[in-house]
Amino acid sequence: MSRFWSPFVKQLVPYVPGEQPKVENLIKLNTNENPYGPSPKVVQAIQAELNDSLRLYPAPNADALKAEIARYYGVSTTQVFVGNGSDEVLAHIFHGLFQHGQAVLYPDITYSFYPVYCGLYGIEAAPQPLNDDFRLSLADYLQPNGGIIFPNPNAPTGVGMSLQDVEAIVQGSPDSVVVVDEAYVDFGGETAIALVDRYPNLLVTQTLSKSRSLAGLRVGFAVGHADLIEALERIKNSFNSYPLDRLAIVGAVAAFQDQAWFERTRTAVIDSREQLSAALIELGFEVLPSQANFVFARHTQRDAAELAQGLREQKVIVRHFKLPRIDQFLRITIGTEVQNQALISALKTLL
Ligand SMILES: *Cc1c(COP(=O)(O)O)cnc(C)c1O
């Protein structure tokens, strides 16, 4: 803290990202990155862009990428917004579509950036408790609100929601924007993009960080009614005209064009998840049903913080949240077969 800080900055509570350790040889299962690399075509496209053109600004509206996403999902380019990671897209959503003087609803156990954005933009939040199965109670989302947001599948639980339930929430609040954060949808969920033409209050966000192995490139997007997209464009053009650089634009386009790589890697993650879940259950864990690239598991006998520490001593890092209701869970990112095996061996030593 310093006397130069504004009162606003003094009261901010920033997001704390998962650790990116500097030491080598750690098995890193703590931040839901993809264990496989991006498509080689993405790397080629970025390398081909490494030339004199870097002296020029990128296309301010990343038109090539918007066109590619529109083609991929069968929507119009006016229904697509792109940003520097979906975190930035979410920030503009909170700023531009959630400030209506009424509380925004989201689950009590969810992505911890939502309360941070509420703090940043002065938005009141009303977290709604997940039920004992860690599912959303639909009735909670029928109360008056200034907006609704939830991930599907949810994080950090991995639990998914049917499209029918998503639609019920969207229908229940026709006068506010409902945002479905689909960061993990490609690992077994159902996308709500299919519904955007029918609901002008529905906005779906996705990221290339997880299922397309591009967390380091920072590309995310939103799909929804053109009027919602226009609000996001107004915010973006009042903040940073060029959120996506030249490398990000060509890399992201190439990622959508290599469907075979996408299918192969996401199927490998899904298969490994099922194997890892079974192995964890055998070791005495209770594992929530996951549709994501991670599992959320608690041991029936052993303390989660101690297990996380014991794993770290064996060079395996997983995520533990010291939060009410979930402090006995570990969130474990699905790794390669070899990494998952190392995790299981380390757990066997501890148990
Ligand atoms: C990872 C994640 C994001 C952010 O993704 P980026 O595109 O890397 O900013 C958004 N929402 C949820 C639920 C996530 O887990």
Side-chain angles (χ1 to χ4, degrees), residues 15 31-32 83-90 110-114 117 150-156 181-184 205-210 214-216 218-221 294 331:
Y15 176 74
T31 50
N32 297 345
N84 187 248
S86 61
D87 285 340
E88 185 184 75
V89 177
L90 292 169
T110 195
Y111 188 38
S112 49
F113 230 131
Y114 304 157
Y117 287 139
F150 53 89
N152 185 34
N154 197 7
D181 177 350
E182 296 186 346
Y184 300 102
T205 63
Q206 291 192 7
T207 174
L208 278 71
S209 297
K210 277 85 184 222
L214 289 171
R218 311 305 303 129
V219 184
F221 61 96
F294 57 85
R331 192 195 66 188

XYZ file of all heavy atoms in Angstrom, residues 15 31-32 83-90 110-114 117 150-156 181-184 205-210 214-216 218-221 294 331, ligand 1:
361
model
N -7.791 -11.207 -8.246
C -7.803 -12.651 -8.471
C -6.402 -13.207 -8.214
O -5.393 -12.551 -8.497
C -8.201 -12.901 -9.925
C -8.184 -14.347 -10.384
C -9.185 -15.233 -9.982
C -7.181 -14.824 -11.226
C -9.184 -16.545 -10.418
C -7.172 -16.136 -11.667
C -8.174 -16.996 -11.261
O -8.166 -18.291 -11.693
N -3.490 -26.024 -12.891
C -4.165 -24.872 -13.515
C -4.947 -25.221 -14.780
O -5.243 -24.345 -15.596
C -3.176 -23.721 -13.836
O -2.067 -24.266 -14.533
C -2.685 -23.012 -12.599
N -5.300 -26.503 -14.927
C -6.197 -26.927 -16.012
C -5.697 -26.605 -17.412
O -6.482 -26.414 -18.345
C -7.605 -26.335 -15.814
C -8.244 -26.853 -14.544
O -7.772 -27.836 -13.963
N -9.308 -26.220 -14.112
N -11.577 -11.580 -27.554
C -10.792 -10.808 -26.590
C -9.526 -11.522 -26.184
O -9.276 -12.677 -26.568
N -8.731 -10.802 -25.395
C -7.438 -11.279 -24.918
C -7.675 -12.254 -23.752
O -7.594 -11.905 -22.581
C -6.629 -10.049 -24.477
C -5.208 -10.390 -24.110
O -4.810 -10.309 -22.963
N -4.433 -10.779 -25.093
N -8.024 -13.483 -24.122
C -8.440 -14.480 -23.134
C -9.904 -14.273 -22.803
O -10.427 -13.158 -22.945
N -10.585 -15.344 -22.377
C -11.995 -15.119 -22.034
C -12.115 -14.305 -20.765
O -13.148 -13.702 -20.507
C -12.789 -16.423 -21.986
O -12.296 -17.283 -21.023
N -11.064 -14.247 -19.962
C -11.117 -13.370 -18.780
C -11.392 -11.923 -19.191
O -12.176 -11.233 -18.558
C -9.797 -13.439 -17.986
C -9.678 -14.736 -17.197
O -10.710 -15.388 -16.944
O -8.546 -15.099 -16.831
N -10.741 -11.468 -20.260
C -10.994 -10.099 -20.706
C -12.423 -9.951 -21.232
O -13.097 -8.950 -20.988
C -9.997 -9.687 -21.800
C -10.172 -8.241 -22.193
C -9.276 -7.837 -23.344
O -9.569 -8.215 -24.491
O -8.279 -7.157 -23.085
N -12.873 -10.970 -21.958
C -14.249 -10.951 -22.471
C -15.226 -10.856 -21.298
O -16.173 -10.056 -21.305
C -14.520 -12.213 -23.326
C -15.971 -12.247 -23.795
C -13.559 -12.277 -24.521
N -14.972 -11.640 -20.260
C -15.840 -11.618 -19.072
C -15.807 -10.241 -18.398
O -16.838 -9.721 -17.973
C -15.409 -12.701 -18.069
C -15.644 -14.149 -18.527
C -14.940 -15.133 -17.600
C -17.141 -14.462 -18.580
N -17.706 -21.478 -7.518
C -17.572 -21.267 -8.959
C -16.246 -20.594 -9.257
O -15.372 -20.498 -8.398
C -18.775 -20.458 -9.501
O -18.806 -20.567 -10.928
C -18.703 -18.979 -9.124
N -16.114 -20.110 -10.478
C -14.885 -19.447 -10.919
C -14.658 -18.191 -10.073
O -15.515 -17.310 -10.019
C -15.040 -19.087 -12.390
C -13.784 -18.569 -13.058
C -12.535 -19.093 -12.764
C -13.871 -17.559 -14.014
C -11.395 -18.618 -13.395
C -12.745 -17.093 -14.665
C -11.508 -17.621 -14.340
O -10.385 -17.152 -14.971
N -13.493 -18.094 -9.443
C -13.308 -17.032 -8.456
C -13.034 -15.661 -9.077
O -12.858 -14.682 -8.359
C -12.214 -17.410 -7.458
O -11.069 -17.845 -8.137
N -13.021 -15.587 -10.407
C -12.894 -14.259 -11.020
C -14.216 -13.483 -10.969
O -14.216 -12.243 -11.022
C -12.426 -14.368 -12.482
C -11.245 -13.469 -12.786
C -10.121 -13.961 -13.435
C -11.249 -12.117 -12.427
C -9.028 -13.139 -13.711
C -10.165 -11.296 -12.712
C -9.055 -11.810 -13.353
N -15.360 -14.165 -10.848
C -16.639 -13.427 -10.886
C -16.743 -12.409 -9.748
O -17.060 -11.238 -10.004
C -17.842 -14.376 -10.876
C -17.871 -15.421 -11.983
C -18.607 -16.595 -11.824
C -17.187 -15.233 -13.183
C -18.658 -17.561 -12.823
C -17.233 -16.195 -14.184
C -17.962 -17.362 -13.994
O -18.010 -18.313 -14.974
N -14.480 -9.371 -10.517
C -15.029 -8.397 -11.470
C -16.160 -7.584 -10.841
O -16.309 -6.397 -11.141
C -15.529 -9.099 -12.744
C -14.407 -9.597 -13.624
C -14.490 -10.843 -14.243
C -13.272 -8.832 -13.849
C -13.469 -11.312 -15.054
C -12.243 -9.284 -14.656
C -12.348 -10.528 -15.255
O -11.335 -10.988 -16.055
N -22.729 -18.370 -14.901
C -22.248 -19.637 -14.330
C -21.439 -20.355 -15.406
O -21.719 -20.207 -16.592
C -23.416 -20.529 -13.862
C -24.463 -20.773 -14.903
C -24.367 -21.837 -15.783
C -25.548 -19.905 -15.022
C -25.325 -22.049 -16.762
C -26.516 -20.105 -16.007
C -26.411 -21.179 -16.877
N -20.411 -21.118 -14.988
C -19.704 -21.924 -15.968
C -20.473 -23.222 -16.201
O -21.086 -23.751 -15.275
C -18.354 -22.237 -15.293
C -18.325 -21.411 -14.039
C -19.749 -21.180 -13.668
N -20.442 -23.714 -17.423
C -21.010 -25.031 -17.709
C -20.069 -25.764 -18.658
O -19.939 -25.348 -19.790
C -22.397 -24.925 -18.343
C -23.014 -26.303 -18.506
O -22.795 -27.181 -17.676
N -23.758 -26.508 -19.581
N -19.433 -26.841 -18.143
C -19.412 -27.370 -16.778
C -18.861 -26.355 -15.785
O -18.066 -25.502 -16.146
C -18.483 -28.580 -16.864
C -18.115 -28.776 -18.274
C -18.604 -27.619 -19.059
N -19.309 -26.517 -14.511
C -18.871 -25.597 -13.465
C -17.405 -25.852 -13.110
O -16.876 -26.947 -13.302
C -19.760 -25.760 -12.235
C -19.656 -24.581 -11.265
O -19.020 -23.559 -11.558
N -20.265 -24.721 -10.103
N -16.778 -24.822 -12.604
C -15.422 -24.929 -12.067
C -15.493 -24.418 -10.634
O -16.219 -23.456 -10.383
C -14.462 -24.051 -12.876
N -14.801 -25.018 -9.676
C -13.832 -26.099 -9.835
C -14.415 -27.500 -9.670
O -13.663 -28.440 -9.422
C -12.848 -25.816 -8.693
C -13.729 -25.295 -7.589
C -14.853 -24.539 -8.270
N -20.486 -19.547 -19.185
C -19.025 -19.558 -19.357
C -18.613 -20.995 -19.686
O -18.531 -21.850 -18.807
C -18.400 -19.057 -18.054
C -16.872 -19.084 -18.055
O -16.275 -19.660 -18.985
O -16.287 -18.539 -17.102
N -18.370 -21.241 -20.967
C -18.111 -22.614 -21.436
C -16.616 -22.886 -21.629
O -16.197 -23.464 -22.627
C -18.891 -22.876 -22.727
C -20.403 -22.812 -22.518
C -21.206 -23.222 -23.753
O -20.622 -23.311 -24.858
O -22.425 -23.441 -23.610
N -15.812 -22.486 -20.643
C -14.365 -22.684 -20.743
C -14.007 -24.162 -20.955
O -13.002 -24.475 -21.595
C -13.675 -22.148 -19.485
N -14.853 -25.071 -20.416
C -14.503 -26.506 -20.450
C -15.465 -27.337 -21.301
O -15.422 -28.565 -21.254
C -14.486 -27.053 -19.017
C -13.488 -26.337 -18.145
C -13.899 -25.376 -17.227
C -12.125 -26.601 -18.271
C -12.975 -24.699 -16.442
C -11.198 -25.926 -17.494
C -11.625 -24.982 -16.588
O -10.706 -24.313 -15.821
N -19.622 -17.680 -23.513
C -18.192 -17.405 -23.672
C -17.421 -18.714 -23.745
O -17.805 -19.715 -23.140
C -17.624 -16.564 -22.507
O -17.745 -17.300 -21.291
C -18.349 -15.245 -22.371
N -16.359 -18.690 -24.521
C -15.447 -19.837 -24.596
C -14.010 -19.323 -24.658
O -13.773 -18.129 -24.837
C -15.748 -20.710 -25.824
C -17.080 -21.459 -25.712
C -17.243 -22.538 -26.766
O -16.321 -22.835 -27.529
N -18.433 -23.128 -26.824
N -13.075 -20.247 -24.521
C -11.656 -19.890 -24.536
C -10.867 -20.897 -25.367
O -11.285 -22.049 -25.504
C -11.095 -19.865 -23.101
O -9.680 -19.657 -23.156
C -11.350 -21.175 -22.359
N -9.745 -20.464 -25.903
C -8.857 -21.411 -26.591
C -7.784 -21.938 -25.625
O -6.908 -22.683 -26.012
C -8.191 -20.744 -27.805
C -9.064 -20.706 -29.081
C -10.213 -19.724 -28.950
C -8.234 -20.387 -30.309
N -7.876 -21.521 -24.356
C -6.846 -21.877 -23.378
C -6.857 -23.349 -22.983
O -5.818 -23.901 -22.645
C -7.015 -21.049 -22.103
O -6.840 -19.682 -22.364
N -8.029 -23.966 -22.970
C -8.103 -25.313 -22.438
C -8.157 -26.363 -23.550
O -7.182 -27.051 -23.791
C -9.287 -25.433 -21.481
C -8.992 -24.946 -20.066
C -9.150 -23.486 -19.843
C -8.753 -23.022 -18.458
N -9.687 -22.037 -17.907
N -4.047 -23.446 -25.849
C -3.416 -22.166 -26.155
C -3.508 -21.171 -25.005
O -3.687 -19.959 -25.226
C -4.037 -21.572 -27.434
C -3.659 -22.306 -28.722
C -4.495 -21.796 -29.904
C -2.169 -22.145 -29.025
N -3.339 -21.659 -23.780
C -3.420 -20.751 -22.619
C -2.409 -19.613 -22.741
O -2.670 -18.489 -22.312
C -3.207 -21.520 -21.327
N -1.254 -19.902 -23.362
C -0.206 -18.887 -23.482
C -0.474 -17.848 -24.553
O 0.199 -16.817 -24.597
N -3.582 -16.392 -25.180
C -4.610 -15.480 -24.657
C -5.676 -15.137 -25.694
O -5.707 -14.033 -26.243
C -3.982 -14.181 -24.100
C -2.810 -14.348 -23.156
C -3.110 -15.242 -21.970
N -4.240 -14.784 -21.203
C -5.276 -15.568 -20.859
N -5.320 -16.847 -21.201
N -6.256 -15.081 -20.158
N -6.531 -16.092 -25.988
C -7.654 -15.839 -26.895
C -8.931 -16.425 -26.309
O -8.980 -17.597 -25.934
C -7.421 -16.450 -28.296
C -8.579 -16.068 -29.240
C -6.093 -15.991 -28.892
N -9.951 -15.595 -26.226
C -11.270 -16.051 -25.799
C -12.310 -15.348 -26.640
O -11.999 -14.398 -27.365
N -13.567 -15.807 -26.553
C -14.606 -15.168 -27.371
C -15.978 -15.323 -26.747
O -16.161 -16.120 -25.807
C -14.587 -15.730 -28.803
C -14.846 -17.208 -28.926
C -16.123 -17.689 -29.215
C -13.820 -18.130 -28.770
C -16.357 -19.047 -29.338
C -14.048 -19.498 -28.899
C -15.327 -19.956 -29.183
N -10.495 -31.725 -15.691
C -9.989 -31.886 -14.329
C -11.025 -32.693 -13.554
O -12.159 -32.852 -14.013
C -9.763 -30.520 -13.664
C -10.989 -29.657 -13.624
C -11.927 -29.765 -12.612
C -11.236 -28.738 -14.643
C -13.075 -28.980 -12.600
C -12.383 -27.947 -14.640
C -13.302 -28.075 -13.609
N -8.505 -30.283 -6.578
C -8.834 -30.181 -8.002
C -7.598 -30.618 -8.780
O -6.525 -30.026 -8.659
C -9.220 -28.750 -8.383
C -9.846 -28.701 -9.790
C -9.901 -27.316 -10.340
N -8.567 -26.801 -10.583
C -8.291 -25.546 -10.927
N -9.257 -24.673 -11.054
N -7.048 -25.169 -11.151
C -9.789 -20.894 -17.483
C -11.126 -20.251 -17.292
C -11.446 -19.024 -17.881
C -10.404 -18.123 -18.489
O -9.838 -18.508 -19.598
P -8.806 -17.583 -20.392
O -9.389 -17.582 -21.752
O -7.506 -18.275 -20.278
O -8.800 -16.206 -19.787
C -12.723 -18.546 -17.787
N -13.653 -19.203 -17.079
C -13.384 -20.347 -16.453
C -14.452 -21.028 -15.687
C -12.110 -20.895 -16.531
O -11.812 -22.011 -15.860
